Amino acid sequence: QVQLVESGGGSVQAGGSLRLSCAASIDTYSTYCLGWFRQAPGAERDGVACIDASGNTGFAASVKGRFTISQDQTRHTLYLQMNSLKPEDTAMYYCAAVYNCFLSRGSCPNFAVYDYWGRGTQVTVSS
C-alpha cells in the first residue's frame, strides 16, 4: 500500500508560481511511475506530468515549458513546480503512483494505470 499526501496548493494571480509537494511512501528501490493529475469541476481528470524511478519525465502539452516535475527519493517526495500560472490551471491537483512502470519517450501513463491516489490539493489562479 502506498500513501500519498499532497500539499502546497493555494490561490495565486495569473503569472504567479506555486510548488506542490506529494509525500509518497513508495519503495524507491522498485520501478515505479509517479504522476500529477488535475480535475476542474465538471471536467475529466487530466494528466499533467509524470516521472519514473529513473527520472524520466513527461508533460501534458498544456503545461510543457511552464511546469517541472521532480522527485527527492531520499525524502520520498514528489514535486510539481508550476510557473506562469493561468486561470485555466485552476483545479484540484492529485498525485498518483503505480509500481512496475517506466516511461517511454516522454509519454505518461493514463490515469487508469495508477493504483494509488492522494486526496488532492486545490490550486486557484485568478486573472
Side-chain angles (χ1 to χ4, degrees):
Q1 190 75 9
V2 176
Q3 304 295 323
L4 301 166
V5 180
E6 303 94 337
S7 62
S11 297
V12 295
Q13 290 191 328
S17 298
L18 281 174
R19 188 176 80 157
L20 305 184
S21 299
C22 174
S25 64
I26 198 159
D27 178 3
T28 55
Y29 292 99
S30 301
T31 57
Y32 61 83
C33 292
L34 296 170
W36 284 102
F37 291 80
R38 65 187 181 186
Q39 188 168 20
E44 295 184 349
R45 188 168 295 191
D46 292 328
V48 175
C50 60
I51 190 168
D52 67 12
S54 297
N56 300 304
T57 60
F59 296 90
S62 59
V63 306
K64 196 170 291 186
R66 299 189 297 124
F67 290 11
T68 303
I69 189 171
S70 62
Q71 62 183 334
D72 186 332
Q73 291 175 316
T74 60
R75 297 185 177 185
H76 297 267
T77 303
L78 174 71
Y79 301 100
L80 184 70
Q81 177 67 44
M82 305 185 295
N83 298 326
S84 302
L85 283 161
K86 304 175 181 179
E88 50 263 44
D89 294 319
T90 295
M92 185 71 79
Y93 282 70
Y94 300 90
C95 66
V98 60
Y99 282 119
N100 300 314
C101 170
F102 61 92
L103 300 185
S104 176
R105 299 180 180 179
S107 178
C108 288
N110 182 273
F111 74 90
V113 170
Y114 289 87
D115 292 323
Y116 306 101
W117 291 86
R119 293 189 174 184
T121 185
Q122 178 68 36
V123 172
T124 303
V125 185
S126 58
S127 57

